[in-house]
C-alpha cells in the first residue's frame, strides 16, 4: 500500500524534515503518526500525497512509485486517496453537502451514486442534519467532520488525515478517531497524524509511528490490522 | 464526455458564483465588452452597407468607346464582338445616335429643350462597355489598340475613387476588428485571471483531490463565454435599434442610397457578432486560464 525506502526530505532553506526513513504500511492498516511540532509528520503525509518530492529515496503509494509518475498519473493516484487536510480546505459559501460533493464530482461515480455517497458520508460523521448548513456556520469540530466526510465519500483505498483532532475537545477528538478507525474494517488503510498521544494509548490493532527530528520509530499493537 | 455533461449544471453554477464573487468588477467588464462589441457591430454594419454600395457601383462601372465614322455596320458588330471577348469585360452594348440623344434628354430633363437648338442629332454612336473596375487599365489599353477605335472615354477618376474608398473601408474595418479582438481577449483574460486569483484556495484543493485541469478550468471558460455572448447579444440588440432608426432617417431624407434589406442586415450583424463573441470569449478564457498552473 505505502512503502518508503531510505527517504530523506530537505527543504529549500536547508531544513531536514525527514532523515533516511524506511516504512511500510499495509492494506487495511490503521497508523497513527505522533510527535512534537516540526518532527516531520506533515512532511511525511505530503510526501505520500505527492505534494513534495523526496530529496533521496523512493516513495511507493498504492503500488505506484511516485517519482516515476507523470502529472496525469499523480492526479489519478490522488483520486484514490481520501485526504483530510490540517486546515480542512473546505470551500466557504457552500453547504456541507456541496463541499462533500465537490470532492467526488470528477470521480467515476454516477450522479445517483455521488449523491448517495455524499449523504451517506455525512450520516457516518453524524452531520446528516446539517448537510444544508453553510460550512462557515459550522463549529470547528463539525467542519472537521465535513472534511472527513469529503474524504470517505470518495471510497478511497487510503485515508490520510493530518491532525484531524487538532483544536477539538476530548469528546469530539475521540469521536473523530473512532470514525476514522472504523474504516480499517473496510480494508481501507488509514494514516492519521496527531499530537494527542493520550487519545491513542488505548487503541488496539494499530501501528504507532513516533517521529522525532525527521526520524521514526514504529510500534505495532496487536496484528496492526 | 458523459462525466462532463453530468457536471454541466455544476459548471454553470460555479460560473455564476465566480461572477458574483467579484460582481462590481465583472459588471464593468460586461459593460466594457458591450461597448467594444457595439463598435464591432457598427463596423460590420457600415461594411455591409458599403459593400452593397460598392457592388452596385461596380456593376455600373463602364467605359465608352467611340469608333471612326468610316467603320461600316459589320465592322462595328465585329468590334463589339471582339471587345466582348476581352478579359474583365462584363458586357458590351452598341448605343446608336438616337439612343445617345434620348439618354441626354433624360439626363437634362427639364432643360432638354436646349437640344432642339441643334438642326441635327449632335451625338455619335458609341460602344458601351461594362467592366470590372479593377481591370480598367488593361481593358482601356486593349480597346484603344483596336484600329477602328477613335478614342475611349473612361470614368477612371470616379472608378479609382471608388476603389480607394473600398480599400479604405477594408483597412479601417480590419484595424477595428483586430483592435476589438485584442481588447476583448485582454479584458476577458484579465477577468478570468482575477477569478482564478479569488478562487485560488479552492483550485489548490481541487488539484490535491485529483480534479483534472479541465474540470477546474471549465467554469472559468463558462464565465468568459457568458460575459462575451451576453455582451454580444446586448450590442446586437442596440445595433438593431440603431439600424432601424437609421433606415427610417435615411429612407426619408436620402432615399437614393441603396441600402440592403433591414432584416438581412440585422441577421448578418447578429450572426457575425455572436460568432465573434463566442470565439473571443473562448480565446480570452483559455488565455486567462493559462495562468492556472501559476496558482
Amino acid at each position: 500500500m505505502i512503502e518508503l525506502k531510505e527517504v530523506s526530505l530537505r527543504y529549500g532553506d536547508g531544513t531536514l524534515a525527514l532523515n533516511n526513513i524506511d516504512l511500510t504500511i499495509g492494506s487495511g492498516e490503521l497508523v497513527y503518526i505522533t510527535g512534537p511540532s516540526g518532527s516531520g509528520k506533515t512532511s511525511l503525509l505530503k510526501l505520500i500525497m505527492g505534494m513534495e518530492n523526496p530529496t533521496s529515496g523512493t516513495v511507493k503509494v498504492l503500488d505506484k512509485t511516485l517519482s516515476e509518475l507523470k502529472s496525469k498519473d499523480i492526479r489519478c493516484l490522488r483520486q484514490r486517496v481520501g485526504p483530510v487536510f490540517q486546515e480542512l480546505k473546505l470551500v466557504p459559501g457552500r453547504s456541507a453537502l456541496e463541499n462533500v460533493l465537490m470532492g467526488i464530482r470528477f470521480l467515476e461515480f454516477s450522479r445517483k451514486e455521488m449523491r448517495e455517497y455524499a449523504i451517506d458520508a455525512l450520516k457516518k460523521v453524524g452531520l446528516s442534519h446539517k448537510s444544508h448548513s453553510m460550512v462557515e456556520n459550522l463549529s470547528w469540530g463539525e467542519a472537521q467532520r465535513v472534511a472527513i466526510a469529503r474524504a470517505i465519500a470518495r471510497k478511497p483505498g487510503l485515508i490520510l488525515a493530518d491532525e484531524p483532532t487538532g483544536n477539538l475537545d476530548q469528546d469530539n477528538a475521540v469521536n473523530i478517531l473512532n470514525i476514522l478507525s472504523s474504516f480499517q474494517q473496510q480494508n481501507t488503510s488509514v494514516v492519521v497524524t496527531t499530537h494527542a498521544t493520550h487519545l491513542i494509548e488505548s487503541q488496539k490493532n494499530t501501528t504507532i509511528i513516533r517521529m522525532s527530528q525527521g526520524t521514526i520509530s514504529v510500534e505495532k499493537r496487536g496484528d496492526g490490522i | 464526455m458523459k462525466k462532463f455533461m453530468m457536471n454541466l449544471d455544476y459548471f454553470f453554477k460555479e460560473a455564476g458564483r465566480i461572477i458574483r464573487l467579484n460582481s462590481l468588477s465583472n459588471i464593468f467588464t460586461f459593460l466594457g465588452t458591450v461597448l467594444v462589441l457595439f463598435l464591432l457591430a457598427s463596423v460590420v454594419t457600415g461594411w455591409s452597407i458599403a459593400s452593397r454600395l460598392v457592388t452596385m457601383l461596380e456593376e455600373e462601372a463602364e467605359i465608352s468607346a467611340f469608333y471612326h465614322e468610316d467603320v461600316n455596320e459589320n465592322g462595328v458588330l465585329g468590334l463589339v464582338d471582339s471587345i466582348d471577348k476581352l478579359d474583365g469585360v462584363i458586357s458590351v452594348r452598341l448605343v446608336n445616335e438616337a439612343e445617345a440623344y434620348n439618354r441626354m434628354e433624360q439626363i437634362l430633363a427639364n432643360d432638354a429643350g436646349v437640344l432642339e437648338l441643334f438642326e441635327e442629332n449632335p451625338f455619335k454612336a458609341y460602344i458601351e462597355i461594362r467592366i470590372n473596375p479593377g481591370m480598367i487599365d488593361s481593358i482601356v489599353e486593349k480597346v484603344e489598340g483596336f484600329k477602328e477605335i477613335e478614342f475611349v472615354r473612361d470614368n477612371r477618376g470616379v472608378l479609382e475613387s471608388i476603389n480607394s474608398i473600398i480599400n479604405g473601408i477594408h483597412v479601417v474595418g480590419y484595424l477595428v476588428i483586430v483592435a476589438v479582438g485584442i481588447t476583448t481577449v485582454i479584458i476577458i483574460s484579465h477577468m478570468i485571471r482575477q477569478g482564478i486569483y479569488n478562487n485560488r484556495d479552492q483550485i489548490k484543493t481541487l488539484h490535491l483531490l485529483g480534479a483534472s485541469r479541465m474540470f477546474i478550468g471549465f467554469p472559468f471558460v463558462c464565465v468568459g463565454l457568458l460575459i462575451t455572448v451576453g455582451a454580444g447579444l446586448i450590442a446586437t440588440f442596440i445595433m438593431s435599434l440603431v439600424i432601424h432608426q437609421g433606415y427610417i432617417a435615411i429612407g426619408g431624407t436620402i432615399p437614393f442610397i441603396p441600402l440592403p434589406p433591414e432584416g438581412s442586415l440585422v441577421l448578418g450583424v447578429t450572426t457575425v457578432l455572436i460568432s465573434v463573441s463566442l470565439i473571443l470569449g473562448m480565446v480570452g478564457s483559455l488565455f486567462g486560464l493559462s495562468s492556472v498552473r501559476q496558482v
Side-chain angles (χ1 to χ4, degrees):
Chain A
M1 179 66 70
I2 299 173
E3 196 179 326
L4 280 77
K5 272 190 187 166
E6 297 171 358
V7 169
S8 294
L9 174 65
R10 189 183 288 278
Y11 287 115
D13 62 358
T15 309
L16 184 64
L18 299 173
N19 188 10
N20 204 28
I21 286 178
D22 286 299
L23 175 67
T24 305
I25 298 172
S27 182
E29 198 168 345
L30 172 62
V31 179
Y32 288 105
I33 304 174
T34 67
S37 293
S39 59
K41 301 188 295 294
T42 301
S43 296
L44 183 58
L45 280 198
K46 281 184 174 177
L47 269 185
I48 296 170
M49 274 288 287
M51 291 162 69
E52 297 284 355
N53 294 317
T55 315
S56 62
T58 55
V59 180
K60 227 171 171 181
V61 179
L62 297 169
D63 304 323
K64 310 269 184 194
T65 306
L66 297 190
S67 57
E68 292 170 1
L69 299 181
K70 293 175 181 167
S71 60
K72 189 188 168 193
D73 301 318
I74 292 268
R75 178 163 61 78
C76 291
L77 185 76
R78 284 177 177 168
Q79 290 181 358
R80 295 167 62 195
V81 176
V84 181
F85 303 102
Q86 190 171 4
E87 63 279 28
L88 304 186
K89 292 188 186 292
L90 297 177
V91 182
R94 320 286 174 89
S95 67
L97 181 61
E98 283 170 333
N99 265 280
V100 177
L101 280 170
M102 188 175 284
I104 57 176
R105 280 191 184 280
F106 44 86
L107 302 180
E108 292 304 315
F109 298 143
S110 69
R111 186 184 279 266
K112 191 182 161 200
E113 282 171 336
M114 276 192 327
R115 204 165 173 79
E116 190 183 309
Y117 294 165
I119 290 170
D120 190 45
L122 282 169
K123 195 173 166 187
K124 274 185 182 149
V125 298
L127 276 181
S128 50
H129 63 295
K130 295 225 169 167
S131 60
H132 295 291
S133 302
M134 294 290 143
V135 288
E136 57 268 36
N137 297 333
L138 299 177
S139 68
W140 183 262
E142 288 170 332
Q144 205 130 23
R145 281 188 277 162
V146 174
I148 293 171
R150 184 178 62 189
I152 63 180
R154 294 155 62 86
K155 306 284 176 198
L158 170 66
I159 293 175
L160 299 174
D162 193 7
E163 296 285 0
T165 56
N167 302 321
L168 291 183
D169 57 52
Q170 172 106 357
D171 290 345
N172 269 319
V174 170
N175 191 16
I176 292 281
L177 291 184
N178 286 340
I179 291 166
L180 288 171
S181 60
S182 68
F183 286 92
Q184 187 186 17
Q185 292 148 17
Q186 297 168 25
N187 215 28
T188 300
S189 302
V190 182
V191 180
V192 182
T193 69
T194 181
H195 275 105
T197 47
H198 60 285
L199 294 175
I200 57 173
E201 288 307 323
S202 57
Q203 299 270 352
K204 292 173 184 169
N205 294 332
T206 59
T207 301
I208 314 282
I209 296 175
R210 292 192 173 80
M211 294 198 73
S212 173
Q213 295 181 326
T215 58
I216 61 169
S217 64
V218 180
E219 177 198 340
K220 300 246 182 201
R221 291 181 182 171
D223 57 4
I225 300 177
Chain B
M1 195 60 187
K2 191 181 161 195
K3 197 78 204 159
F4 176 82
M5 295 306 289
M6 204 170 84
N7 281 315
L8 213 53
D9 59 336
Y10 162 79
F11 291 139
F12 279 98
K13 266 187 200 168
E14 278 296 295
R17 203 189 60 83
I18 293 165
I19 291 171
R20 284 195 303 276
L21 202 62
N22 201 359
S23 51
L24 193 64
S25 166
N26 287 328
I27 286 169
F28 282 112
T29 299
F30 182 75
L31 292 177
T33 312
V34 168
L35 291 175
V36 168
L37 290 175
F38 179 73
L39 182 65
L40 178 66
S42 307
V43 169
V44 172
T45 305
W47 208 338
S48 301
I49 293 171
S51 294
R52 184 176 167 85
L53 187 64
V54 163
T55 306
M56 290 186 71
L57 288 170
E58 279 182 343
E59 284 170 0
E60 295 301 318
E62 60 185 39
I63 59 174
S64 304
F66 292 84
Y67 48 88
H68 294 290
E69 286 184 359
D70 57 354
V71 182
N72 62 27
E73 197 174 329
N74 284 340
V76 173
L77 291 176
L79 188 59
V80 167
D81 200 35
S82 300
I83 293 172
D84 199 21
K85 288 173 183 161
L86 293 176
D87 197 21
V89 170
I90 297 166
S91 67
V92 182
R93 195 167 155 272
L94 181 62
V95 177
N96 61 26
E97 292 90 338
E99 189 178 347
Y101 186 90
N102 289 338
R103 283 186 177 186
M104 188 51 75
E105 263 189 331
Q106 284 174 1
I107 291 167
L108 293 173
N110 293 337
D111 298 323
V114 72
L115 294 175
E116 291 170 9
L117 297 174
F118 293 95
E119 289 180 3
E120 288 182 8
N121 181 354
F123 299 106
K124 290 175 69 176
Y126 62 94
I127 300 168
E128 185 183 86
I129 311 164
R130 281 185 50 215
I131 60 163
N132 176 347
M135 298 179 73
I136 186 167
D137 287 337
S138 66
I139 294 169
V140 168
E141 192 183 334
K142 284 174 188 167
V143 173
E144 282 176 340
F146 288 107
K147 66 180 190 313
E148 297 91 341
I149 294 295
E150 188 180 357
F151 69 97
V152 174
R153 193 170 66 204
D154 59 56
N155 299 315
R156 193 186 298 258
V158 175
L159 293 175
E160 281 175 355
S161 296
I162 292 170
N163 266 333
S164 60
I165 289 169
I166 297 166
N167 290 337
I169 289 172
H170 281 167
V171 168
V172 170
Y174 289 131
L175 283 177
V176 170
I177 287 171
V178 169
V180 165
I182 292 173
T183 308
T184 310
V185 165
I186 288 174
I187 288 175
I188 296 300
S189 65
H190 274 295
M191 194 200 64
I192 299 297
R193 281 165 194 264
Q194 183 70 45
I196 289 168
Y197 182 78
N198 291 340
N199 290 278
R200 60 194 182 284
D201 291 337
Q202 181 185 336
I203 291 171
K204 276 181 188 168
T205 305
L206 285 170
H207 268 305
L208 291 175
L209 291 171
S212 65
R213 278 172 63 83
M214 204 209 69
F215 181 87
I216 295 168
F218 196 73
F220 294 96
V221 175
C222 292
V223 170
L225 287 176
L226 282 173
I227 292 212
T228 50
V229 173
L233 284 171
I234 302 253
T236 306
F237 177 70
I238 297 171
M239 197 64 226
S240 65
L241 292 179
V242 171
I243 289 171
H244 184 66
Q245 291 303 317
Y247 266 59
I248 291 171
I250 290 174
T253 51
I254 31 180
F256 51 84
I257 288 188
L259 296 171
E262 188 182 335
S264 69
L265 180 62
V266 170
L267 183 66
V269 171
T270 306
T271 309
V272 170
L273 221 61
I274 299 304
S275 309
V276 169
S277 304
L278 273 169
I279 293 166
L280 292 179
M282 187 67 85
V283 173
S285 306
L286 293 176
F287 199 55
L289 264 182
S290 62
S291 63
V292 164
R293 70 189 65 171
Q294 293 153 19
V295 171

